[in-house]
Amino acid sequence: MLRFPCRSGNRDLETVLAYRKFQIVVPHAIRQALGIEPGQRLHAFRYGDRVELVRFRPLAQARGFLAGLDSRIDREADRV
């Protein structure tokens, strides 16, 4: 495992290996910091020239996360 300072703060940048079946292992420090558990689902998507992993959260967990948000917007007179 290679570690060297990352320009975006005090985080470490870690290099991982893609195995023959294109599997990778998320480094322990990253798993621990993000609270990733064994068997947990992650979304993987391409963003430019990199792959990003985002924790999967069921839609039911999103319920109420916008509570208190002011949903009033100014509308044009012909749209009321």
Side-chain angles (χ1 to χ4, degrees), residues 12-75:
D12 286 342
L13 180 65
E14 300 193 31
T15 302
V16 298
L17 176 67
Y19 293 97
R20 188 175 11 191
K21 293 184 179 182
F22 299 100
Q23 296 172 327
I24 62 166
V25 175
V26 178
H28 178 73
I30 294 172
R31 290 191 318 261
Q32 192 173 25
L34 297 177
I36 298 172
E37 300 290 332
Q40 185 174 6
R41 291 180 180 263
L42 301 171
H43 292 291
F45 60 94
R46 191 179 92 195
Y47 187 78
D49 64 344
R50 64 182 185 244
V51 175
E52 294 205 8
L53 301 174
V54 178
R55 284 187 295 169
F56 173 81
R57 293 190 177 141
L59 191 55
Q61 286 185 353
R63 184 180 189 117
F65 84 101
L66 294 176
L69 180 72
D70 184 6
S71 61
R72 293 175 292 166
I73 58 172
D74 294 330
R75 297 187 184 268

